[in-house]
Structures are given as structure tokens and as C-alpha cells.
Amino acid sequence: MVLWHPPDAPWVKLNTDGAFSASTLEAGEGGLVRGPDGGLLRAFCSPITTSSSFEAELLALIRGLGMAMKLSTHIWIELDSAALVTLLSSGRLGSADIRHHMALIRSITAQRHVRFSHIYREGNWAADFLAGRGLRPLPLLIMTQSLRLGISRR
């Protein structure tokens, strides 16, 4: 069983996810920042324009970092994309089509204490849910109730 665990103080944990449909070319991003008690500090979801699922993951991370930076200088980034965690941990910028995103992430995180880790999708369900809602937004009340109850309404 894969479970999400809260960070130790003074860290906040940022979980993000991107969603991309190759058949419709629709994409969404979602994420949330939670504190040491596991409480929700910030969350987001929105449609985005991108040409790949990997870029959707990067855009979601960039949006989430913007929120997390306002809350703490210690940010634990937990993602369900093992490939992205590997790239972020390597110090490399990746292929030419994503270098500008990677350079921005490096710039944003330069003055912070940041750690990266992988979590399986089952443990990242809240960010996955929000990314899916970015594709097809739900009314805020339904989305809030679904997050609280752990229900995915796809």
C-alpha cells in the first residue's frame, strides 16, 4: 500500500501532477502544498497548453513552486514521474525542448532548501485528481468535498 506522509517541520511538501491527452491534445495541471501536520496550505488546478505529458508535469511543478516559495524556504517536492525526479536530481537540463523549463526550475529553487522524491501514483492521488480536474474543471464545492473524502470523480 502506497501512502502519502507529511514532512517534518520546517518543511512543506509540494505534490504536483500533469495530465495530457494525446487524442484530444487537452492538458491540465494540479498540485497542492501541505504542512508538517498534513494540512492543506494551497492547491491549484487549471487547463494548460502543452504538447506532451512530460511538459505538463514540468508546468505543474513550476506553478506549484510559485505557491510553495511563499510559504517556506524548505520545500520537499514529491512527484509520481520517476523520470522527472531523476532529471531534477541529476543537475542536468534535459533535452532542448524542455531546457527553458528546467532552467527556470533551477533558478526558482536556487535560494531554497529543496529535496526531490518519487511517490507512486496511488500516493499522489490528490495531485493526480487536481491535474485531471484541470482537464475538465468541476465546481469548487464538489472538488473540495472530493478532496476531503478521497473520492475521484472522473
Side-chain angles (χ1 to χ4, degrees):
M1 182 177 225
V2 179
L3 299 174
W4 180 91
H5 297 283
D8 293 327
W11 294 82
V12 297
K13 191 177 275 190
L14 169 63
N15 289 82
T16 62
D17 201 9
F20 178 74
S21 169
S23 60
T24 65
L25 301 181
E26 293 178 309
E29 64 181 358
L32 58 163
V33 181
R34 291 178 275 197
D37 65 352
L40 181 65
L41 302 174
R42 300 279 190 282
F44 70 95
C45 69
S46 65
I48 54 175
T49 302
T50 183
S51 57
S52 72
S53 59
F54 198 78
E55 187 178 26
E57 297 276 354
L58 284 167
L59 293 174
L61 176 55
I62 291 166
R63 168 86 53 116
L65 278 168
M67 290 185 334
M69 286 180 21
K70 295 175 184 172
L71 300 169
S72 180
T73 58
H74 292 72
I75 304 166
W76 182 346
I77 300 166
E78 193 170 58
L79 308 167
D80 61 15
S81 170
L84 182 52
V85 170
T86 299
L87 181 59
L88 290 164
S89 300
S90 75
R92 294 179 291 121
L93 292 177
S95 61
D97 58 332
I98 62 164
R99 281 178 188 251
H100 57 289
H101 296 313
M102 289 298 295
L104 179 57
I105 291 167
R106 298 267 183 249
S107 171
I108 291 170
T109 59
Q111 300 301 315
R112 303 275 190 247
H113 298 277
V114 177
R115 71 171 72 150
F116 303 101
S117 66
H118 176 260
I119 187 168
Y120 289 101
R121 186 175 181 202
E122 296 82 4
N124 202 37
W125 73 266
D128 180 66
F129 172 83
L130 289 166
R133 295 294 55 94
L135 283 169
R136 293 184 183 85
L138 287 173
L140 183 59
L141 178 61
I142 293 172
M143 185 169 44
T144 304
Q145 290 170 342
S146 298
L147 274 172
R148 192 173 323 120
L149 298 173
I151 298 169
S152 179
R153 298 177 187 226
R154 290 190 178 183

